Amino acid sequence: MTSLRRAKISVIGAGNVGATAAHLCALKELGDVVLVDIAEGIPQGKALDMYESTPVEAASHSVIGTNSYEPTKDSDVVIITAGIPRKPGMSRDDLLKTNAGIVKSVTEQVAKFSPNSILIIVSNPLDAMCLVAKKASNFPAHRVMGMAGVLDTARYRTFLAMEIGCSPDDIHALLLGGHGDTMVPLTRYTTVQGVPVADFVAADKLAKIVQRAKDGGIEIVNFLKTGSAYYAPAASAVEMAEAIIKDQKKIRPVCSYLQGEYGFKDVYLGVPVLLGAKGIEKIIEIKLNDEEKAMLQKSKEAVDSLIKIL
Ligand code: APR
């Protein structure tokens, strides 16, 4: 990626998450956007509609919709959202086989046309889909990552802000582990503008907020009934894309391929990383206490069980 040309972002899957992410990329002027979907007319119509919003928003980049992968050629960042979402009564894991097939086929196409791109996977079950994408692309680990931790943390920060009555932006927090019930909250690292959260929220209340964050996805599914959350997931994926495109060196929880870090090998799990132009530029190993280590182990086993099914 050079600073002399516009960045190019492709978004695969023009459904709720993909279209919202593409629109955010255009509004934030992150680069030219290509929206791809298997459904004929949908990416073309949505992309044209988004492009037509750019004069109003004073944004200067193009948004193109397509059913083929040629227009994605030489993308810098590719956000993969293709797949089926959850309905009430379904766990993320119920999506496993269908989405594995979809993620494999779209990643092969993406890798063919953009061999130097950085992939941000959103399709669920996230941790397993990252491994599918890594294998299908044959990209190095630092260029294939998953969006989960930013979203889980955003939910946790929102619920804390609602409780405390402060801006969500004032809440600083990290969560580790897989996406979902086995995520590992690091409440002792949560602060309200640097002040430990325990000074603001009682332990029992904090435990309830952590649980609500873990169940954050299903809370939305139960409201929507016909699909799953997309505004916060899209915003989270776009924050990661922005950190990469602008080489921001942001530390965020990202689903990353571990090669010995935290004592795990050859598995995707959410850990804090430094995000910059090269993708995952560094995995940050923080000291965990025994309870957190046990939770991370449980989270890893949950991811392992899905990988075994695949
Ligand atoms: N190639 C390209 N696009 C595809 C393919 C494929 N092989 N298969 C499905 N799609 C497209 C669908 O046509 C649809 O437009 O993926 C899109 C998915 O959009 P939605 O059904 O609206 O689902 P969404 O809410 O966007 O969620 C997508 O992200 O958060 C995760 O769990 C969620 O796995 C799900 C994914």
Side-chain angles (χ1 to χ4, degrees):
M1 201 187 311
T2 87
S3 56
L4 294 176
R5 72 170 183 85
R6 289 168 166 219
K8 182 167 174 180
I9 305 143
S10 290
V11 181
I12 317 301
N16 284 334
V17 180
T20 309
H23 196 207
L24 282 174
C25 288
L27 296 184
K28 287 172 166 256
E29 298 197 282
L30 296 189
D32 290 319
V33 181
V34 180
L35 184 60
V36 183
D37 200 286
I38 201 168
E40 277 177 35
I42 300 295
Q44 290 87 346
K46 290 190 180 182
L48 183 58
D49 193 12
M50 287 176 209
Y51 208 166
E52 289 165 359
S53 77
T54 59
V56 183
E57 301 285 354
S60 340
H61 293 73
S62 62
V63 191
I64 305 295
T66 173
N67 301 119
S68 73
Y69 285 82
E70 280 92 339
T72 68
K73 193 174 177 337
D74 294 332
S75 294
D76 297 294
V77 173
V78 182
I79 301 174
I80 297 183
T81 76
I84 53 164
R86 279 195 290 175
K87 305 238 164 61
M90 285 171 89
S91 75
R92 287 190 183 92
D93 303 352
D94 291 334
L95 310 173
L96 184 67
K97 287 195 176 149
T98 308
N99 284 356
I102 294 172
V103 169
K104 179 174 184 287
S105 72
V106 307
T107 305
E108 284 165 356
Q109 292 297 312
V110 165
K112 185 171 145 200
F113 288 97
S114 301
N116 299 314
S117 59
I118 293 172
L119 310 183
I120 301 173
I121 315 301
V122 180
S123 311
N124 274 311
L126 198 263
D127 311 87
M129 291 309 105
C130 288
L131 195 61
V132 170
K134 183 173 183 303
K135 288 197 169 148
S137 63
N138 213 12
F139 285 2
H142 66 97
R143 289 202 280 123
V144 186
M145 66 192 80
M147 187 294 295
V150 176
L151 169 63
D152 292 331
T153 312
R155 287 179 171 149
Y156 175 59
R157 292 168 67 202
T158 305
F159 299 146
L160 277 173
M162 285 159 66
E163 173 65 22
I164 297 167
C166 67
S167 162
D169 194 37
D170 285 334
I171 313 283
H172 298 270
L174 267 181
L175 302 171
L176 303 186
H179 191 26
D181 325 340
T182 62
M183 75 160 110
V184 181
L186 299 176
T187 47
R188 69 198 170 97
Y189 287 123
T190 305
T191 72
V192 185
Q193 275 302 27
V195 181
V197 71
D199 290 8
F200 289 83
V201 183
D204 59 333
K205 194 87 206 178
L206 188 58
K208 280 195 184 127
I209 288 173
V210 166
Q211 191 56 46
R212 190 173 175 196
K214 287 185 181 188
D215 298 335
I218 202 67
E219 185 176 358
I220 307 276
V221 170
N222 286 339
F223 276 123
L224 297 181
K225 303 213 166 47
T226 54
S228 53
Y230 52 101
Y231 290 110
S236 304
V238 171
E239 190 199 38
M240 291 167 65
E242 184 172 22
I244 294 164
I245 287 163
K246 296 185 178 170
D247 195 19
Q248 287 173 325
K249 316 282 189 204
K250 278 193 174 175
I251 295 175
R252 289 291 182 274
V254 168
C255 182
S256 315
Y257 190 64
L258 300 184
Q259 295 166 95
E261 298 89 353
Y262 290 93
F264 299 122
K265 226 172 169 312
D266 304 331
V267 67
Y268 269 93
L269 219 49
V271 290
V273 309
L274 193 99
L275 275 184
K278 294 189 185 76
I280 295 176
E281 301 198 343
K282 190 177 176 190
I283 291 179
I284 295 161
E285 284 192 81
I286 52 176
K287 269 211 165 138
L288 301 180
N289 61 30
D290 288 345
E291 191 194 350
E292 290 157 351
K293 275 186 200 155
M295 283 194 275
L296 195 59
Q297 175 67 32
K298 214 173 132 211
S299 193
K300 188 243 175 204
E301 282 163 14
V303 176
D304 276 349
S305 67
L306 292 185
I307 302 298
K308 273 201 194 105
I309 298 170
L310 282 182

